[in-house]
Amino acid sequence: MRVLIVDDEASFAEPLAERLRLRGVDTVVAADADAALAELVHAPRDLIFLDVGLPGLDGVGLLPLLRERYPQCEVVMLSGAGDVRKAVQAMRYGALNWLSKPVSLEDVLAECRKATERATARLEAQRLTEAARWRMLGRVAEGVAHEVNNPLNIIVQAAGLIEDCLDTPQASGLPEIDEAREALAAISAQGLRIRELTRKLLMVGHGMDFQEAPLDGAACVRHAVEMLRKRLDDQKVQLELSVPEGDGAPRPFGSATELQQICLHLLENALDALEISGRADGRITVQALKNQDAQGRDWYELTVQDNGPGIAQEAFPHLFDPFFSTRSLQGEPKTAQKSRLLGRFAGLGLSVARSLAHARGGELTGDNASEGGARFVLRLPLAGESCER
Amino acid sequence: MEAAFPPRTFARGFHAEKLMTMRVLLADDERDFVDTLAERLSLRGYEVTTVHNGAEAVRAATSARPDVAVLDLFMPGLPGDETLRQLKVMYPDLPVILLTGHEAVDDNGTSPVAKAFACLTKPLAFKDFVAVLEAAARAGRQASEGGEDGQ
């Protein structure tokens, strides 16, 4: 829990902050509206105790601004005996509650607890909404994939039949036969590309198989690396693996096929980013370890990090949206490569990876590393602990 | 219901001399697909019969006596897995290859799908498909020979 106390009366605010810190609440103090806003830009807060009677812009004036900029952040008003009416007015602007001074530590801690409960409920509601959205998206994607596969299948076989006919002795004298063969090869190759796309579409919003077991994370990573070996070599990317294996290594619980797919998509994403950046010293690091989240739960955590251009700010809200590709936001690739690059991305890899993570009760998040480059963190339940679910 | 499209038989083509004649039954409701596939197989010397649903496949298994049956998993009426079950009751040694548009077949070992010789994903890589067909035919011959030895 992160708390901000906005009060110009230092003899009140500082001791209260100190007592909260002693109870493990991360607390900072601001003396007026400007200092409060500066503090919030610096680091987000979960709960703000806001004094009504501030110098300059008062608490009631600051409140609408806070609600607008930081809707996730709860506000509890603090008022002296004289301005209870103002505090009540603030409730209408969306304050969670008000406390009249002098306030007891118990009251402040009770507000912290309430704010935590509301934040948890809000997160859960968000998670359910997103899960429902993914399920619907999954149904649509599956329908599209099947509808596309049938005609595609006919196209590929028909192209094959023409190829067979060109192989007959009677056809050998045909003019332009080589061009015809090339055209057929193109039809087959493009057909396989569409097939790859529909295969990914089938995974949106779904898990792939039903066999869950404790997994060998290192083997799954290696499997994905082998599938991308040629691309890694072609792009001269340096790959650093630090994934523990053998006895005592943390083991994720899930499906091996799915974990391989997730690794594949994350590595492909990193390779795409490096290809766009055009850097000669491209590097991808893959690291796995057992890690604890804020709620004290242990996870198998797999991090894939590159030294590419990183994720553009505008891209963050859409990072896991199907068919959203960041290439237009990462600057224009060199024109010679452009058409090739634009042709390759399906913008589905990260969506699929996240779907698969969610299907096993895990999570996939993306951010930029402090030293630059994008970093994706996959969390999967640890084998052994998942039985409690 | 009598089939609007009676089973079609495709003649053997120019590659015929390379192979032992093998009879293949293809069942898929996508007519363009089965006909094209049949054409390609017959060019390679296979004798192919095509049908477009499960019930026709069961009838054709008796009339055409195929060495290998290839069934689409999703067909109207009798679906592929049920067709497979019926074929296996009638001809336990007949190798059956299933085609799906979907790789995630819920194969927990109890469904009839487990009795398929192979489960292939569309679109087919034709070379791989022919290789599986040949393997299935070999397995079928061995199974029926083994059965006779046992008698």
Side-chain angles (χ1 to χ4, degrees):
Chain A
M1 166 116 281
R2 296 158 303 180
V3 168
L4 169 66
I5 302 173
V6 190
D7 199 312
D8 58 321
E9 208 183 315
S11 60
F12 161 77
E14 283 302 344
L16 177 60
E18 195 49 46
R19 291 165 79 186
L20 285 175
R21 284 182 205 122
L22 283 172
R23 281 165 177 75
V25 182
D26 170 9
T27 311
V28 290
V29 175
D32 58 21
D34 288 340
L37 289 171
E39 191 61 55
L40 286 169
V41 169
H42 176 65
R45 296 279 136 186
D46 305 306
L47 176 60
I48 301 174
F49 289 99
L50 179 57
D51 188 30
V52 172
L54 293 174
L57 185 64
D58 72 0
V60 179
L62 177 58
L63 177 64
L65 224 87
L66 293 177
R67 297 299 299 162
E68 189 193 319
R69 288 195 199 166
Y70 306 99
Q72 305 287 329
C73 178
E74 304 281 8
V75 179
V76 171
M77 304 305 291
L78 301 174
S79 74
D83 37 35
V84 171
R85 278 176 59 131
K86 277 190 167 178
V88 173
Q89 185 193 351
M91 299 288 290
R92 283 204 293 274
Y93 294 144
L96 182 63
N97 200 358
W98 62 275
L99 300 175
S100 89
K101 289 183 188 173
V103 299
S104 70
L105 182 66
E106 280 65 40
D107 286 346
V108 169
L109 287 171
E111 292 303 329
C112 291
R113 262 196 308 279
K114 273 193 268 178
T116 309
E117 281 162 16
R118 277 175 58 140
T120 311
R122 204 168 42 226
L123 274 179
E124 180 63 12
Q126 252 173 28
R127 205 185 58 75
L128 287 176
T129 313
E130 186 168 344
R133 197 171 69 98
W134 272 102
R135 272 197 302 277
M136 199 198 69
L137 206 61
R139 277 198 298 275
V140 174
E142 189 177 343
V144 170
H146 284 306
E147 290 306 314
V148 169
N149 267 351
N150 280 333
L152 175 65
N153 200 19
I154 296 169
I155 292 172
V156 169
Q157 289 310 326
L161 178 57
I162 301 176
E163 217 173 331
D164 291 346
C165 294
L166 291 183
D167 286 342
T168 58
Q170 299 96 304
S172 61
L174 286 176
E176 323 286 357
I177 188 166
D178 289 338
E179 281 81 352
R181 282 215 175 91
E182 266 174 42
L184 285 169
I187 292 175
S188 299
Q190 298 307 313
L192 288 180
R193 253 181 72 192
I194 299 177
R195 170 60 199 169
E196 186 55 27
L197 187 72
T198 57
R199 199 177 63 79
K200 284 180 180 168
L201 274 176
L202 285 172
M203 287 186 258
V204 172
H206 293 272
M208 284 168 66
D209 65 33
F210 310 91
Q211 289 162 354
E212 286 188 315
L215 306 176
D216 181 348
C220 292
V221 172
R222 271 200 306 271
H223 181 91
V225 168
E226 278 322 305
M227 289 182 73
L228 292 172
R229 176 59 63 197
K230 188 172 178 317
R231 250 195 104 181
L232 284 162
D233 291 347
D234 287 352
Q235 285 182 232
K236 299 192 173 54
V237 170
Q238 187 194 343
L239 183 69
E240 286 167 21
L241 296 181
S242 133
V243 183
E245 57 186 317
D247 296 342
R251 288 161 83 81
F253 190 79
S255 141
T257 331
E258 290 177 3
L259 182 54
Q260 287 161 9
Q261 280 292 326
I262 295 174
C263 295
L264 189 67
H265 293 313
L266 292 181
L267 288 169
E268 273 186 322
N269 181 67
L271 281 167
D272 290 346
L274 290 171
E275 186 162 7
I276 287 171
S277 78
R279 7 182 358 148
D281 62 340
R283 193 180 67 243
I284 300 175
T285 56
V286 182
Q287 194 182 50
L289 43 84
K290 177 176 154 176
N291 210 352
Q292 207 171 57
D293 65 13
Q295 279 78 48
R297 187 172 166 195
D298 285 330
W299 294 91
Y300 182 84
E301 199 173 278
L302 183 89
T303 306
V304 178
Q305 188 176 333
D306 62 61
N307 62 345
I311 304 160
Q313 276 303 321
E314 309 90 282
F316 269 109
H318 311 289
L319 205 50
F320 296 102
D321 287 357
F323 297 114
F324 179 82
S325 176
T326 57
R327 58 185 183 267
S328 56
L329 296 171
Q330 284 177 328
E332 293 293 298
K334 291 175 195 74
T335 37
Q337 298 179 337
K338 193 171 168 184
S339 58
R340 191 167 60 86
L341 282 171
L342 289 180
R344 214 184 37 235
F345 301 89
L348 261 180
L350 289 177
S351 327
V352 168
R354 185 180 235 194
S355 286
L356 295 178
H358 283 179
R360 298 294 157 218
E363 183 56 281
L364 176 67
T365 53
D367 64 357
N368 285 323
S370 52
E371 61 270 32
R375 178 175 58 194
F376 286 86
V377 179
L378 168 74
R379 276 182 178 168
L380 284 177
L382 274 172
E385 310 203 356
S386 53
C387 309
E388 297 159 20
R389 274 192 298 154
Chain B
M1 183 190 75
E2 204 42 53
F5 292 79
R8 270 179 77 184
T9 306
F10 289 76
R12 299 174 60 194
F14 69 97
H15 287 302
E17 66 285 357
K18 292 184 189 166
L19 294 154
M20 230 176 115
T21 308
M22 192 209 294
R23 289 185 304 270
V24 180
L25 172 63
L26 290 182
D28 194 317
D29 57 313
E30 286 279 348
R31 294 175 203 286
D32 286 335
F33 170 68
V34 265
D35 289 353
T36 314
L37 194 60
E39 197 77 55
R40 297 191 73 186
L41 287 174
S42 62
L43 283 174
R44 283 169 173 74
Y46 297 89
E47 200 179 298
V48 186
T49 305
T50 60
V51 294
H52 304 113
N53 63 50
E56 288 172 15
V58 173
R59 277 198 295 273
T62 306
S63 58
R65 295 308 311 265
D67 299 306
V68 180
V70 181
L71 311 174
D72 183 36
L73 193 54
F74 300 101
M75 287 188 289
L78 207 57
D81 51 355
E82 180 54 24
T83 309
L84 167 65
R85 197 187 61 78
Q86 295 195 11
L87 286 179
K88 280 288 180 186
V89 169
M90 294 160 61
Y91 306 104
D93 295 337
L94 173 66
V96 178
I97 296 171
L98 281 178
L99 304 181
T100 73
H102 208 305
E103 51 223 276
V105 173
D106 181 11
D107 178 9
N108 55 14
T110 55
S111 78
V113 174
K115 289 202 166 129
F117 177 78
C119 212
L120 301 178
T121 326
K122 293 185 195 173
L124 297 169
F126 189 71
K127 266 187 194 155
D128 300 344
F129 175 60
V130 171
V132 173
L133 263 187
E134 290 291 333
R138 271 196 305 278
R141 276 196 298 275
Q142 276 165 12
S144 55
E145 283 160 14
E148 279 156 23
D149 288 350
Q151 278 168 4

